[in-house]
Amino acid sequence: MNKIRNKVKLLNRVSSLEFLPNLSKKVGSRIYVKRDDEGGRGGGGNKLRKYERIIADAIDKKADTLIIAGHYQSNAARELIGASCQLGLKAVVVCKPMIPEQNSIFNQNGNALLMKLMNATLVSIGQEDEFQIEMEKVAAKIRQEGGKPYIIPFGGSNLLGALGYFDCANEIIQQFKNIENKAPNYIITPVGSGGTMAGLVAGSAIASSETKLLGFSVLHKDYTINAKVEALANEVINAVDPNTNIKPNFQIDTSFVGDAYGIPTKKGIHAIKILAQLEGLFLCPVYTSKAMSGLLNYIANNKIKREESIVFIHTGGMPLVHAYYNQYN
Ligand SMILES: *Cc1c(COP(=O)(O)O)cnc(C)c1O
């Protein structure tokens, strides 16, 4: 249980829940955003909630160097470097080009630029190399040199990481109650490695909330992600309440991924422009725009009713807006 409670503080305030009046008026549903894109070091984003317990575990195990798998435009890596700087830990990004270069400065702009400014250590590996094997090699070298490495799970999506979004679900339920005096009809999030979704699903289930949890995949195109989220949500539920028989209940739509992870979609780019122009809010081409395009599509097709209320998790990714600067025509 200690593991569940132990946290390092990476977020210094509760992220706000904001109503989007102009978008809501345009589409007819009541849309709110949970601003998890703001706050914390390294530029902020959803990984910081996950890292609060994961890094606490690393410190507990006397680790001095964090190792993460990533790519040049990885939010997860950039946020980990930011947290490491703040906490005075070392960190290594084992890096391979997971996204085809979208322009001639793709690997120098956006997250790559911010990681460079933070003096991040990047170890580049080949396209065919396995992340896990290469991370183990880096860890072995660190041990040889007398250091104590700690490998961050993929996307920060293990039990400790997902618990951060268990907390977030409770925050949302409370914040929404203060505004509308009931539960929202939907909580919507992009789904990559699935930890954000799993934590939210578990939090909502334990709170017996009637809110429907809807995720839009940005990575997996098949339903393997469903099994992954279900297993992790169950793990969180059992960790928080070992005697419960509550089951996770959620839906993930994989049809808005487009060609692949990191490749923008037409609908996503359209969503970026709509949100920027109506609300002054920026979504990124990799994650939030694809989820928002799913939400707008569901409303347009009456899968979400016009009078229903929605909380959209803004998971961050602002540096990606810049990295894809030539994709907005
Ligand atoms: C990592 C990330 C996600 C996906 O979160 P998972 O917990 O991996 O599903 C969504 N949005 C942004 C901006 C991210 O960086």
Side-chain angles (χ1 to χ4, degrees):
M1 276 319 257
N2 239 1
K3 258 185 139 181
I4 293 179
R5 261 177 267 130
N6 266 358
K7 273 193 192 185
V8 292
K9 207 163 174 54
L10 299 177
L11 296 159
N12 295 309
R13 59 193 155 91
V14 173
S15 65
S16 61
L17 182 68
E18 298 171 6
F19 184 57
L20 299 182
N22 305 316
L23 181 67
S24 297
K25 196 168 165 202
K26 186 177 163 75
V27 300
S29 308
R30 291 192 313 291
I31 305 178
Y32 294 78
V33 272
K34 176 68 169 160
R35 298 295 307 276
D36 270 22
D37 55 318
E38 289 186 331
R41 300 291 170 82
N46 70 334
K47 303 305 179 299
L48 291 177
R49 276 190 197 267
K50 301 174 170 191
Y51 294 158
E52 286 195 318
R53 285 188 182 82
I54 293 173
I55 297 178
D57 183 49
I59 292 171
D60 205 43
K61 292 182 170 137
K62 309 271 185 282
D64 57 15
T65 311
L66 308 173
I67 303 173
I68 188 166
H71 54 87
Y72 300 97
Q73 290 304 342
S74 166
N75 293 321
R78 183 253 307 156
E79 289 168 55
L80 187 77
I81 301 295
S84 309
C85 289
Q86 179 184 4
L87 297 170
L89 294 165
K90 287 178 268 187
V92 179
V93 184
V94 175
C95 212
K96 73 170 153 185
M98 286 169 67
I99 304 175
E101 292 182 35
Q102 302 293 304
N103 50 64
S104 61
I105 57 166
F106 191 61
N107 290 346
Q108 284 103 54
N109 195 359
N111 284 317
L113 173 63
L114 298 183
M115 287 196 278
K116 182 178 168 185
L117 288 175
M118 293 186 283
N119 200 22
T121 306
L122 268 56
V123 173
S124 293
I125 61 169
Q127 196 68 48
E128 307 306 319
D129 292 334
E130 290 269 352
F131 271 129
Q132 196 58 36
I133 294 169
E134 299 303 318
M135 287 196 291
E136 300 285 359
K137 281 189 201 162
V138 170
K141 187 155 175 271
I142 290 166
R143 266 186 226 104
Q144 255 173 24
E145 291 163 359
K148 271 222 124 190
Y150 182 99
I151 295 179
I152 303 290
F154 178 63
S157 289
N158 63 354
L159 169 63
L160 293 179
L163 279 163
Y165 272 89
F166 176 89
D167 297 341
C168 181
N170 288 304
E171 246 175 66
I172 292 170
I173 290 166
Q174 199 52 54
Q175 286 175 315
F176 198 86
K177 204 168 171 205
N178 290 343
I179 302 170
E180 291 212 6
N181 203 23
K182 58 183 175 192
N185 294 107
Y186 286 89
I187 293 177
I188 293 184
T189 182
V191 179
S193 61
T196 301
M197 181 78 181
L200 290 168
V201 167
S204 173
I206 293 268
S208 310
S209 169
E210 277 158 35
T211 304
K212 296 185 197 100
L213 276 291
L214 172 59
F216 288 99
S217 177
V218 301
L219 174 65
H220 301 271
K221 288 201 203 183
D222 58 36
Y223 281 85
T224 53
I225 186 64
N226 270 52
K228 195 179 166 196
V229 168
E230 185 170 14
L232 187 50
N234 269 318
E235 212 184 319
V236 175
I237 290 170
N238 292 329
V240 174
D241 186 355
N243 301 317
T244 186
N245 53 11
I246 288 173
K247 291 274 162 274
N249 190 8
F250 65 95
Q251 186 196 338
I252 295 176
D253 188 325
T254 60
S255 62
F256 291 86
V257 180
D259 287 341
Y261 171 73
I263 309 294
T265 60
K266 261 205 178 116
K267 289 183 187 130
I269 297 293
H270 179 68
I272 289 177
K273 289 180 184 167
I274 297 219
L275 269 287
Q277 289 162 22
L278 288 180
E279 299 286 351
L281 196 70
F282 299 112
L283 304 178
C284 75
V286 181
Y287 297 98
T288 47
S289 70
K290 288 183 180 176
M292 181 58 78
S293 73
L295 166 57
L296 296 178
N297 178 280
Y298 270 49
I299 295 172
N301 290 310
N302 245 335
K303 288 185 190 168
I304 292 177
K305 302 282 174 298
R306 307 244 156 190
E307 66 280 7
E308 291 187 299
S309 56
I310 294 135
V311 173
F312 181 87
I313 314 286
H314 195 323
T315 44
M318 176 71 127
L320 295 167
V321 175
H322 302 281
Y324 287 78
Y325 74 91
N326 60 331
Q327 307 282 318
Y328 307 111
N329 302 315

